[in-house]
Amino acid sequence: MNEGDLKSIEDICEQTWEPLYRYIYYKVQNREEAEDITQETYVKSLSYPKLNKIEFKEYIAFFKTVAMNIIKDRWRQNKTRGTNINIDSIAQNEASVEDISDITTQQLFIKSSLDKLNEDQRKVVELRIIKGYSVSETAEIMDKKEGNIRVLQYRALKDLVDIMTENK
């Protein structure tokens, strides 16, 4: 690699890092994870052998595709491993009785709001939002088409917002 290549890599990163980071942050909603994935995206992308065949204006789309694949891999790994929680790291004030009663109240409020949805809406919210199933997995479980699941989820969330705002 010569000095001209390093300059062009620097130019690529300088011109694409902000939209790439924003895209990744939007997907993961965590600053540290977004930074890690952005860095990993550049490492994987810039070592891609056919990178010089991609037009400069198409770099951001290429980087977003690589980033999304990294995000999906991480989600898959977390889904199979589960989430580890270190009980010692929970702050004392988070475990106080007041917080537990607030959480219980919130959970009851959410449950009573969910109970006001029709059966299909409640099931799609449970599978998609609470349990984290994909659209295709949810469609298979509910024996519906993926398009129907998307519409059902949209309407369920819209109705849930309406129910929750009128009950507050």
Side-chain angles (χ1 to χ4, degrees):
M1 203 179 262
N2 61 37
E3 191 174 314
D5 291 341
L6 289 175
K7 181 66 176 153
S8 66
I9 289 173
E10 185 179 324
D11 290 342
I12 291 168
C13 293
E14 194 173 292
Q15 293 179 19
T16 59
W17 79 266
E18 189 174 358
L20 179 62
Y21 174 80
R22 286 178 191 226
Y23 172 79
I24 294 169
Y25 183 82
Y26 175 78
K27 296 290 185 186
V28 298
Q29 297 293 310
N30 179 301
R31 185 180 59 82
E32 291 86 11
E33 191 173 7
E35 290 171 359
D36 288 347
I37 293 172
T38 302
Q39 184 175 4
E40 189 176 341
T41 299
Y42 280 120
V43 169
K44 286 187 176 189
S45 300
L46 295 174
S47 63
Y48 182 65
K50 296 180 182 176
L51 184 68
N52 60 352
K53 294 186 173 148
I54 298 173
E55 291 185 37
F56 189 81
K57 63 183 178 189
E58 295 173 350
Y59 279 144
I60 193 66
F62 174 69
F63 292 148
K64 285 180 179 180
T65 302
V66 172
M68 196 62 222
N69 288 335
I70 293 169
I71 291 168
K72 286 178 183 177
D73 287 344
R74 287 184 179 209
W75 284 341
R76 239 180 261 118
Q77 288 171 354
N78 289 339
K79 188 174 181 182
T80 58
R81 267 199 313 253
T83 304
N84 294 327
I85 298 174
N86 181 1
I87 294 177
D88 297 330
S89 69
I90 298 174
Q92 290 298 323
N93 62 350
E94 289 181 31
S96 72
V97 176
E98 294 173 356
D99 291 340
I100 292 172
S101 65
D102 288 344
I103 291 169
T104 303
T105 304
Q106 287 176 340
Q107 288 174 339
L108 288 172
F109 175 68
I110 292 168
K111 184 173 179 355
S112 69
S113 298
L114 283 170
D115 287 342
K116 293 178 182 174
L117 295 174
N118 70 41
E119 186 179 337
D120 282 345
Q121 289 177 327
R122 194 171 39 253
K123 184 82 171 171
V124 82
V125 169
E126 176 188 334
L127 293 172
R128 292 278 298 128
I129 309 300
I130 298 170
K131 292 186 177 177
Y133 286 105
S134 69
V135 173
S136 60
E137 292 169 328
T138 304
E140 189 175 319
I141 291 168
M142 293 183 68
D143 195 30
K144 295 185 182 295
K145 294 182 180 180
E146 289 182 23
N148 292 356
I149 296 299
R150 286 187 189 94
V151 170
L152 195 56
Q153 178 182 338
Y154 171 80
R155 290 180 180 161
L157 293 175
K158 186 177 178 299
D159 290 350
L160 192 58
V161 167
D162 292 343
I163 290 167
M164 293 175 98
T165 52
E166 82 181 25
N167 286 339
K168 275 198 169 185

